[in-house]
Amino acid sequence: MQLRPARAADWPALFAAASDPGIWAGHPASDRWQEPVFRAFFENGLASGGMLVARAGGAVIGSSRFDYSRCLPGEVEVGWTFLARSHWGGGVNHAMKALMVGHALTKVDSVMLMIGDSNFRSRTAAERIGAVLSARTATAELSTGPVVHVIYSIGRAGFVAGPLAPLWAQRIS
């Protein structure tokens, strides 16, 4: 799996990867597989300046991003991640998060993950990578309306002691 900065030319491949309604089932933006909804998601990602494209075997399989717009000083958000279902459960999400969180923690004190409060698949994934639920919440306006999000965080100490650290260490081997 490789990550690289997103560019406008990635639109066709990213939309092809995202156009499976099954990816978005159970997600607060369950309509994100539709072209106008994904177009807004894509444009917002590009505008953030931190959107990354995930590739495996030469194919685009999803994206994620860094974002500072909802963060406290000393933290960055990692999120807005999606992966093609063909890459669920095989460690790609862990590898992606290890690279992003490990990199972020060289620059900031903590990483926050903002997850829809009813998005149990993503909440479980966050807990599996060592993220800790905080008392913070935020509301984001999605295509389906306003959605309350819970905030998970990972600091340097938690990262080093958690399940992502070995994957981060492998990036240089």
Side-chain angles (χ1 to χ4, degrees), residues 79-93:
W80 302 91
T81 304
F82 85 91
L83 287 170
R85 287 194 296 164
S86 59
H87 289 82
W88 287 9
V92 172
N93 187 48

Side-chain angles (χ1 to χ4, degrees), residues 5-99:
R7 50 187 181 256
D10 292 319
W11 163 255
L14 270 175
F15 180 60
S19 63
D20 172 5
I23 292 172
W24 309 103
H27 189 278
S30 58
D31 59 351
R32 198 171 279 159
W33 59 274
Q34 298 173 15
E35 191 276 336
V37 178
F38 190 77
R39 173 70 72 179
F41 173 83
F42 177 77
E43 294 297 332
N44 190 13
L46 287 179
S48 77
M51 186 177 191
L52 302 173
V53 171
R55 298 177 55 90
V60 170
I61 60 167
S63 71
S64 193
R65 75 173 95 147
F66 294 106
D67 197 318
Y68 288 96
S69 65
R70 290 168 289 277
C71 294
L72 298 174
E75 75 178 1
V76 66
E77 178 183 1
V78 167
W80 302 91
T81 304
F82 85 91
L83 287 170
R85 287 194 296 164
S86 59
H87 289 82
W88 287 9
V92 172
N93 187 48
H94 280 186
M96 182 186 292
K97 291 299 190 294
L99 290 172

Side-chain angles (χ1 to χ4, degrees), residues 105 109 154-162 165:
L105 290 174
D109 298 325
I154 303 173
R156 290 183 182 129
F159 179 74
V160 169

